[in-house]
Amino acid sequence: MSNLVEVVDTEQLGPSPTTGTKRRRFVISQQPIGTAVRSSDQKNNSSMATLCVDVRNIRTTLDTFSDRLESLETKMSCVLEKCLEIVERMVTIDCQVTQSISSPSRPCKSVLFNTQVVTKQTPHHNKVLSSTNHPTKPPPGSIVSDFTESSQIIKLNCEADHPEGSWLGDPHMVEERVRVGVSMQEMDTLNTHCVTPEKMALALLETLFSRETLAQSNLTGKGKHKKKQLDPLLVFGIFCHLKYKFNIHESDWVRIKNNMDSKCRFFWSRRCKGLPLGGGASRVADSDQFG
């Protein structure tokens, strides 16, 4: 079919400025009849569809960028929290060192307490690092730099700290004992009734710390709930006592630590639910400086 000529009366103009007569304006197209307007509409619709696709792509890109920005912000917050934790630990260590230097009249030893076996050349988990204020000279062939993620330098106390108390651990080994404010009679009762290291550890945990302290703390002071750390000196005392009484090994201590952390989580769960924790205050003053 041959194309027909379509004459479109687009508008009626006013009088001609020269002749003064009215005239019409016509647009002549070679397109088939009725397709001139539709072709223009199709082009407009195609342009609008392309524009909508571009807008959706831009919106998707912005959403992806926003998600990545939030992820980056979360990671930066975690890094900041770790930095603050490191600063707090450094301040605590600095205070301990300053206190040791300022009180030379009370010679106390410090130990490196490792809760993991790092070498077969070291038969014990704790090693003496310093006596008074000067590091001791290690014997030939020994290794004293066995630092791990769980390593802690703990300053031991002496009998003068709790004159009416008792020793956790071997009373005759300076590096494997901790003085606590538990009477000899009560310590004898614990030694009599706690016939397994697991029972002894949990009994000492509730004896040395109040349940409120256990509800807001754990052994490491780490975790998403930002709990405080139980006094490392008293935890080391529990380890020494279990080593002295039951001769526990590394695998035993790992299992016992999990039981102690479970006990802390149990009281934390009750505290979150608003349930009473029960029990009274601990018989040993809790230390808040290791939170």
Side-chain angles (χ1 to χ4, degrees):
M1 178 183 294
S2 60
N3 293 340
L4 300 179
V5 177
E6 178 183 6
V7 180
V8 182
D9 186 0
T10 58
E11 58 179 337
Q12 184 174 354
L13 303 178
S16 173
T18 56
T19 62
T21 61
K22 294 183 178 181
R23 63 176 181 173
R24 293 174 180 271
R25 181 182 177 189
F26 298 92
V27 177
I28 300 176
S29 173
Q30 295 296 325
Q31 300 294 332
I33 296 176
T35 62
V37 177
R38 288 201 301 270
S39 176
S40 177
D41 291 341
Q42 289 175 356
K43 290 181 180 179
N44 292 337
N45 293 337
S46 176
S47 299
M48 289 298 296
T50 303
L51 181 61
C52 290
V53 171
D54 292 340
V55 170
R56 282 197 294 268
N57 291 337
I58 293 174
R59 182 176 299 175
T60 302
T61 303
L62 289 177
D63 291 340
T64 303
F65 178 75
S66 178
D67 293 340
R68 292 184 178 181
L69 191 61
E70 290 179 0
S71 176
L72 182 62
E73 184 179 359
T74 302
K75 292 180 180 179
M76 289 300 296
S77 299
C78 294
V79 172
L80 181 59
E81 290 179 1
K82 291 296 182 182
C83 291
L84 292 177
E85 181 180 347
I86 292 174
V87 171
E88 290 177 359
R89 291 184 179 275
M90 291 298 293
V91 171
T92 301
I93 294 175
D94 182 68
C95 292
Q96 293 176 350
V97 172
T98 303
Q99 184 180 1
S100 300
I101 296 176
S102 61
S103 57
S105 58
R106 288 183 59 189
C108 294
K109 292 189 175 183
S110 297
V111 296
L112 174 62
F113 181 38
N114 284 337
T115 58
Q116 296 179 357
V117 175
V118 292
T119 175
K120 294 182 178 179
Q121 300 182 25
T122 54
H124 300 289
H125 301 289
N126 55 309
K127 307 174 184 62
V128 178
L129 284 188
S130 62
S131 177
T132 65
N133 300 321
H134 304 284
T136 58
K137 199 170 185 179
S142 65
I143 299 177
V144 295
S145 57
D146 298 329
F147 286 96
T148 66
E149 184 182 358
S150 62
S151 298
Q152 290 179 302
I153 299 177
I154 300 176
K155 183 181 178 181
L156 302 178
N157 56 7
C158 56
E159 186 174 356
D161 292 317
H162 299 285
E164 304 299 327
S166 56
W167 291 106
L168 290 178
D170 189 348
H172 305 292
M173 292 288 294
V174 178
E175 298 85 8
E176 297 183 6
R177 67 183 186 183
V178 174
R179 192 74 175 182
V180 294
V182 179
S183 65
M184 291 296 299
Q185 180 179 0
E186 187 173 5
M187 185 60 68
D188 291 338
T189 301
L190 290 173
N191 291 332
T192 302
H193 290 85
C194 299
V195 294
T196 64
E198 290 80 6
K199 290 184 178 180
M200 176 65 76
L202 295 180
L204 287 175
L205 191 69
E206 289 202 55
T207 300
L208 301 175
F209 302 98
S210 66
R211 293 188 174 183
E212 183 65 30
T213 299
L214 295 177
Q216 57 187 353
S217 309
N218 58 23
L219 295 183
T220 61
K222 299 178 182 179
K224 61 181 180 180
H225 300 294
K226 298 180 181 179
K227 294 184 178 181
K228 298 179 180 180
Q229 182 184 11
L230 294 175
D231 189 343
L233 177 63
L234 298 182
V235 175
F236 176 68
I238 295 176
F239 169 79
C240 291
H241 202 67
L242 299 181
K243 184 75 174 177
Y244 175 60
K245 289 293 183 181
F246 302 99
N247 193 26
I248 63 172
H249 300 287
E250 171 66 16
S251 57
D252 301 322
W253 177 238
V254 172
R255 183 180 67 256
I256 292 170
K257 283 194 306 176
N258 292 334
N259 293 344
M260 296 166 70
D261 269 331
S262 297
K263 194 73 171 180
C264 293
R265 288 194 298 270
F266 170 75
F267 289 123
W268 176 80
S269 177
R270 291 185 63 87
R271 186 169 178 261
C272 291
K273 296 177 182 178
L275 300 175
L277 301 179
S282 66
R283 299 164 182 80
V284 178
D286 295 332
S287 176
D288 296 332
Q289 61 185 355
F290 300 98

